[in-house]
Amino acid sequence: MAKEPDFSTLCVHGDPQRDPSGAPHTPIYNSSTFTFNSTADLVDVLEGRREGGLYTRFGMNPTITSLERQLAQLEGAESALSFTAGMAAASALFLTHGRKGIICLGDAYGGTLELLTNQLPLLDIHTRFLLGGEQDQLASALEEGYGLLFIETPTNPTLEIFDIHALAEQAHQHGALLVVDNTFASPANQQPLSLGADLVLHSATKYLGGHSDLTAGALMGPKTLLDPIWAWRKNLGQVPAPETAALLSRSLRTLPLRVQRQSDSALTIAKALAEHPRVSRVLYPGLPTFPGHAIAQKQMKGYGGMLSFELDGSGEETTTVVDRLQLIGNGASLGGVESLATQPTIITHRGVPAADRARRGIGENMIRLSVGLEDANELIADLLQALN
Ligand SMILES: Cc1ncc(COP(=O)(O)O)c(C=O)c1O
């Protein structure tokens, strides 16, 4: 039997189905609609008997379907759906599969926490939050009949690690789905479906896009779970533009190279920060002293390009450090080629009430760092001059 191609080969070769023009990169089909020789032909495409473009908002545009075949391959999934943003993917997911209630275990991106706290309950979708340290309450929560267990691992911004395989088993015992937001790890470092998760979510704005020049989202998994989400996406109008799909498709080809370099540099930087007297704690799964290290070692190929650290100082002093950075940009988002630092309390988790942030250990003295492709020693020098 032929050996499965390596992940890097899959990424470089992109869509296994070549465009009829022979172009190795799927062209941008810059069309909102497609015309047919006959109505019978149109109905064949509409009813899935033949593949083809039909109407771009439906996702039935060759640039978008090509991207989705690539996205599916990345996570070893049967199928994938692309979205205008990670939050579009999250909202379509929750509206489709969250109606029996959603448990969010551990920390998550502030926008996801806001959606689960403020908007979904308005639609009578019950949401429950368990901190990482409250995992012992998960079994009894699942017994109440929640249909979806949602996790990030590593989480934003505290880099908590959860055992995907164990949680998938636990969720399935209670008839619930396990969905993993794999944005921080990226499929280059971790493939949750192979560990038993039912669906994977990405903010493709981050590592998949990788250049801070697009906003997109993705869901990967089996068709039986994605088909009902497809209908929500279609009618909520959450399909990315073909231009964005092509840009994302191009970026996926270099994903393994970028993530490997970012993971290597992040480990070097984490070690350097851990030795600095002004740094009280470094949160990075690659450090042997980090609580989730053993599980990360088991389920991740590399530890990723994201790390957070806490200053032995006030929120204001922490802001001063961020403001003093010269090479590292002061801004939200992550996963791009350029390094970015941010105080989660100022932007990414600003909408999370202060008391909840405190419960989650997201203090004003925390800086989250997205490590880019610059020279690691130059990044360390920038951090040291800002800290000193
Ligand atoms: C882990 C994670 N999931 C989801 C999102 C939302 O993605 P987007 O900004 O593409 O909507 C983000 C954004 O920062 C994120 O960090």
Side-chain angles (χ1 to χ4, degrees):
M1 217 169 75
K3 189 177 162 285
E4 275 288 299
D6 183 72
F7 183 74
S8 56
T9 308
L10 279 181
C11 287
V12 170
H13 284 264
D15 181 2
Q17 217 167 295
R18 279 286 151 80
D19 185 76
S21 67
H25 294 267
T26 307
I28 301 174
Y29 285 86
N30 201 2
S31 253
S32 57
T33 192
F34 296 81
T35 55
F36 295 84
N37 290 331
S38 70
T39 303
D41 217 12
L42 181 152
V43 173
D44 271 353
V45 172
L46 188 60
E47 294 184 350
R49 281 182 294 277
R50 185 172 75 72
E51 252 190 50
L54 190 132
Y55 191 60
T56 293
R57 178 172 53 78
F58 293 8
M60 298 172 82
N61 171 303
T63 314
I64 294 167
T65 48
S66 169
L67 166 70
E68 290 175 347
R69 282 189 292 271
Q70 277 180 275
L71 290 170
Q73 278 196 135
L74 294 185
E75 291 285 2
E78 181 189 6
S79 196
L81 291 175
S82 56
F83 291 84
T84 44
M87 288 311 297
S91 46
L93 161 77
F94 293 144
L95 289 168
T96 312
H97 292 297
R99 305 192 72 83
K100 284 199 262 164
I102 302 159
I103 300 173
C104 176
L105 173 66
D107 284 327
Y109 166 59
T112 308
L113 293 178
E114 283 180 47
L115 176 66
L116 291 167
T117 308
N118 302 335
Q119 281 84 47
L120 294 178
L122 298 175
L123 306 174
D124 286 333
I125 295 180
H126 296 288
T127 55
R128 167 116 184 234
F129 300 90
L130 290 177
L131 300 187
E134 294 171 340
Q135 242 188 100
D136 54 335
Q137 297 172 34
L138 182 60
S140 65
L142 283 166
E143 262 159 36
E144 288 174 33
Y146 286 89
L148 197 157
L149 174 60
F150 179 84
I151 57 162
E152 292 181 9
T153 180
T155 63
N156 186 356
T158 53
L159 285 298
E160 279 174 301
I161 300 291
F162 292 101
D163 187 327
I164 297 172
H165 180 68
L167 286 177
E169 285 201 335
Q170 200 175 357
H172 296 160
Q173 273 163 17
H174 294 88
L177 298 174
L178 174 69
V179 181
V180 179
D181 180 334
N182 202 26
T183 300
F184 263 40
S186 97
N189 276 333
Q190 174 175 278
Q191 295 182 315
L193 298 178
S194 71
L195 297 164
D198 297 285
L199 285 168
V200 168
L201 183 146
H202 278 279
S203 167
T205 314
K206 310 298 179 335
Y207 288 100
L208 302 187
H211 298 73
S212 310
D213 56 4
L214 63 87
T215 299
L219 285 171
M220 293 86 153
K223 268 179 78 55
T224 47
L225 292 176
L226 289 178
D227 283 352
I229 303 177
W230 182 87
W232 280 93
R233 180 187 73 165
K234 173 171 82 83
N235 294 331
L236 291 172
Q238 298 173 305
V239 171
E243 291 86 344
T244 305
L247 197 55
L248 177 53
S249 167
R250 201 270 308 257
S251 295
L252 295 179
R253 294 173 182 242
T254 54
L255 175 73
L257 275 179
R258 287 186 276 109
V259 171
Q260 188 177 349
R261 160 91 171 207
Q262 285 160 323
S263 304
D264 291 348
S265 296
L267 181 59
T268 309
I269 294 169
K271 285 180 183 163
L273 284 172
E275 281 173 15
H276 198 281
R278 285 200 68 196
V279 174
S280 51
R281 196 159 70 116
V282 180
L283 306 163
Y284 186 64
L287 293 178
T289 49
F290 189 69
H293 177 68
I295 300 170
Q297 209 174 20
K298 196 177 68 173
Q299 69 187 17
M300 298 179 82
K301 203 167 141 196
Y303 301 105
M306 294 301 300
L307 63 98
S308 294
F309 61 99
E310 289 168 347
L311 228 64
D312 188 8
S314 67
E316 275 171 25
E317 285 167 323
T318 309
T319 304
T320 306
V321 171
V322 174
D323 286 347
R324 275 199 204 139
L325 292 167
Q326 290 167 5
L327 182 59
I328 300 169
N330 174 355
S333 204
L334 58 107
V337 293
E338 60 288 296
S339 298
L340 290 175
T342 188
Q343 262 172 292
T345 52
I346 301 280
I347 166 92
T348 58
H349 290 69
R350 192 185 188 91
V352 179
D356 194 22
R357 285 199 308 248
R359 237 165 45 94
R360 293 175 178 278
I362 306 169
E364 289 176 356
N365 64 339
M366 180 181 283
I367 297 175
R368 191 192 73 182
L369 187 62
S370 168
V371 177
L373 299 184
E374 303 92 337
D375 177 72
N377 289 326
E378 289 176 8
L379 291 173
I380 292 171
D382 193 28
L383 286 162
L384 294 185
Q385 66 76 24
L387 283 165
N388 291 337

